[in-house]
Amino acid sequence: MSLTRSSAIELNRLFVSGEVSAREIVQTYLERAEQWDRRVGAFLELYRDEALARADELQRKRDSGAELGALAGVPISVKDVLCHRGHVTSCASKMLQRFESPYTATAIERLLADDAILIGRTNMDEFAMGGSTENSALGTTRNPWDLDRVPGGSSGGAAASVSADFCPIAIGSDTGGSIRQPAAYCGVSGLKPTYGRVSRYGLVAFASSLDQVGPLARSVGDLAVALRSLAGYDGRDSTSAPREVPDYAASLEEAMAGVRIGLLEEQLSQLHPAIRDAVTGAAETLASLGAVVEPVALPHAEYGVATYYLIAPSEASSNLARYDGVRYGLRVEAADHAEGGLVGMYGATRSRGFGPEVKRRIMLGTYALSAGYYDAYYLKALKARRLIQDDYRRAFERVDLLLGPTTPSPAFRLGELTDDPLELYLQDLFTVTANLAGVPALSVPAGLTEEGLPVGIQLQARPFDEARLLQVAGRYQAATDWHTRRPRIA
Ligand code: GLN
């Protein structure tokens, strides 16, 4: 039996029913990753021995008749931004290259409590800053659909690991699009939950008011199972929401009649033609399934990129102040620096430990927060954020969901945008607003370009309405086959 190309739900069923052992599953995926990841570069580390040992442990649990979690036997990759006790958490930075976590993120604890098998940690843009994974200080990740192209970012390794079928589910993080954009570039599905839905405890902070943990998978059904495991209140994250976690998989079965979908028509004007066709095609498909589709606008969304690129770097400049050579990771002595003593050590550590994009963000953020500029930049960005939030609130008085593109264009070539940070920032046009407003958003594959590259569409919903988001995306996948297309490598 060929185990690859299976969904997480299917692998779990095979394991629980006894048709396949957990070791067989893990071995199959590990071997696949070992064979192909030299070309793709999705992983920074594979947990071979640990994953096999855990498979055997779960097998004993199953054979003893004990009750198993919903992810029992499912191999999952984790973006290298979540702390995991006894494991390196590098954030793809030289600063943390050898940093071993003393504790475990709630998101990881919850996956393990549901009997998932973590098979490795995936590459990313350094500290999740970027949209191509080219800002990783620790390696290159390639798009499985075209090895000369980027996988997107910052969860590029996560998206590539699912796209190349090294695992059915990957865990990523999304501050301004980092789950949805690489999902779109790599032809997989990705969900950024509502701010507060998944605990950020143990997620290395980039921009604390925007960061969320979420899953990537091929099918929406797998996203539903993964979100159910990840989500829930956590007393260790004061921004996590004390709300029930619905049975997302059950809502996938609900019919779609009467769901109101707002088409973000303004977002269709400056798009790659294949992406425009994917969005309009999806609108037709959803209408044929019973949804009511009408045009809707988010009038301030055009300020999203400017707003995000003030707020995110401002928060980052504060969050990254902790990497000073004293408490975490790298320490470079002052001898290497113009200034001596403690200040020299700080300078030497931070100039050596951070890459150019991280330094750029720290400088932008420090500038935007500094006396004399605070009102003109940071405060103004907070006001624009409020206007964007109000746009969403108004739109969701009329419709249940918003439909539009995930990205303006498909995956670009490696190196194509490395000299032009602004052009790279502009790729985040359609994704950052969901983070600024805190709403849940999901990208699903919805077409291919003439060159055969995957493109994604984005659905957004009211806060905490992930069930609706997954239901409609699930119906869409049941009616189309874009999510079943595979890159040639796989
Ligand atoms: N591309 C965006 C940035 O560079 C988003 C990153 C993210 O979501 N982590 O900040």
Side-chain angles (χ1 to χ4, degrees):
M1 182 189 331
S2 165
L3 285 176
T4 54
R5 307 180 66 132
S6 302
S7 67
I9 293 172
E10 177 67 1
L11 290 175
N12 171 257
R13 192 192 64 76
L14 290 169
F15 169 58
V16 173
S17 69
E19 284 166 72
V20 176
S21 71
R23 179 172 268 268
E24 275 175 272
I25 295 173
V26 170
Q27 205 134 28
T28 301
Y29 282 91
L30 279 174
E31 273 166 22
R32 199 176 150 73
E34 278 160 356
Q35 179 177 4
W36 294 108
D37 202 39
R38 261 168 299 169
R39 298 175 68 181
V40 177
F43 286 96
L44 290 172
E45 185 186 359
L46 280 171
Y47 303 145
R48 171 171 256 285
D49 296 343
E50 184 184 342
L52 288 169
R54 179 154 169 90
D56 293 343
E57 179 194 319
L58 285 167
Q59 192 67 47
R60 284 191 294 275
K61 185 171 174 184
R62 183 210 162 269
D63 296 345
S64 76
E67 207 178 312
L68 293 166
L71 293 168
V74 178
I76 294 182
S77 72
V78 179
K79 182 178 181 180
D80 204 15
V81 69
L82 284 160
C83 291
H84 187 185
R85 192 188 163 95
H87 297 71
V88 169
T89 302
S90 75
C91 295
S93 178
K94 287 190 184 143
M95 189 64 91
L96 295 177
Q97 192 169 4
R98 278 174 266 284
F99 169 75
E100 217 176 82
S101 301
Y103 67 99
T104 300
T106 301
I108 290 191
E109 268 179 5
R110 297 188 63 105
L111 297 171
L112 293 174
D114 278 330
D115 294 330
I117 301 174
L118 306 185
I119 60 161
R121 53 189 175 93
T122 54
N123 199 14
M124 55 187 279
D125 285 300
E126 183 176 5
F127 285 103
M129 297 174 190
S132 67
T133 310
E134 293 168 291
N135 294 335
S136 169
L138 305 181
T140 302
T141 304
R142 296 168 182 276
N143 190 315
W145 291 79
D146 177 347
L147 297 174
D148 292 330
R149 291 181 190 263
V150 302
S154 65
S155 313
S161 73
V162 173
S163 174
D165 202 16
F166 300 150
C167 47
I169 294 176
I171 305 303
S173 68
D174 189 312
T175 305
S178 279
I179 289 175
R180 292 159 286 157
Q181 184 255 32
Y185 282 7
C186 289
V188 303
S189 308
L191 168 66
K192 180 204 89 74
T194 310
Y195 185 77
R197 182 71 288 188
V198 177
S199 170
R200 293 180 298 110
Y201 179 77
L203 168 69
V204 178
F206 163 12
S208 307
S209 78
L210 303 161
D211 297 338
Q212 263 295 287
V213 176
L216 298 92
R218 270 182 300 274
S219 73
V220 168
D222 281 1
L223 290 183
V225 177
L227 181 64
R228 167 121 173 152
S229 178
L230 292 168
Y233 176 69
D234 177 13
R236 293 174 298 184
D237 170 6
S238 60
T239 64
S240 92
R243 281 182 172 245
E244 284 290 296
V245 181
D247 182 352
Y248 296 113
S251 58
L252 294 182
E253 306 301 321
E254 284 166 30
M256 221 172 69
V259 174
R260 289 170 307 164
I261 296 180
L263 178 62
L264 294 169
E265 266 183 352
E266 278 165 19
Q267 299 190 343
L268 298 181
S269 56
Q270 282 163 24
L271 283 183
H272 187 285
I275 301 181
R276 198 184 51 229
D277 292 349
V279 176
T280 51
E284 282 165 26
T285 304
L286 293 172
S288 76
L289 293 171
V292 181
V293 182
E294 58 179 275
V296 164
L298 298 173
H300 299 91
E302 60 176 305
Y303 304 112
V305 169
T307 305
Y308 171 86
Y309 278 96
L310 286 167
I311 292 176
S314 294
E315 295 184 14
S317 71
S318 165
N319 275 325
L320 272 63
R322 72 189 66 170
Y323 305 106
D324 57 5
V326 178
R327 285 166 293 180
Y328 307 93
L330 187 73
R331 177 187 181 101
V332 181
E333 291 307 331
D336 290 41
H337 200 259
E339 208 159 346
L342 183 63
V343 173
M345 189 279 287
Y346 292 157
T349 299
R350 289 168 69 84
S351 13
R352 193 81 66 78
F354 291 139
E357 182 62 25
V358 174
K359 288 177 183 159
R360 182 178 297 122
R361 304 271 179 125
I362 291 172
M363 286 189 278
L364 285 170
T366 307
Y367 185 83
L369 289 173
S370 56
Y373 294 107
Y374 184 94
D375 290 7
Y377 295 109
Y378 182 68
L379 198 61
K380 194 152 194 189
L382 290 184
K383 291 177 181 172
R385 181 178 193 173
R386 171 56 68 88
L387 293 172
I388 290 167
Q389 286 167 342
D390 286 346
D391 282 357
Y392 273 99
R393 197 177 35 72
R394 248 175 255 123
F396 287 132
E397 282 167 10
R398 287 178 49 200
V399 296
D400 301 309
L401 287 181
L402 298 173
L403 166 66
T406 308
T407 60
S409 37
F412 47 89
R413 292 206 155 70
L414 283 156
E416 200 175 319
L417 297 183
T418 36
D419 298 332
D420 193 348
L422 194 58
E423 191 54 40
L424 190 57
Y425 297 171
L426 288 171
Q427 303 303 310
D428 301 334
L429 186 60
F430 305 131
T431 48
V432 291
T433 50
N435 303 75
L436 290 167
V439 305
L442 164 156
S443 179
V444 283
L448 292 173
T449 66
E450 275 177 13
E451 296 159 289
L453 296 171
V455 302
I457 53 163
Q458 178 172 234
L459 288 165
Q460 306 179 74
R462 295 185 187 102
F464 298 101
D465 206 5
E466 283 87 357
R468 175 81 77 185
L469 205 53
L470 291 162
Q471 174 211 1
V472 171
R475 292 280 121 202
Y476 176 75
Q477 288 197 338
T480 56
D481 66 356
W482 298 112
H483 63 293
T484 65
R485 312 288 177 99
R486 304 298 165 111
R488 246 156 285 144
I489 184 173

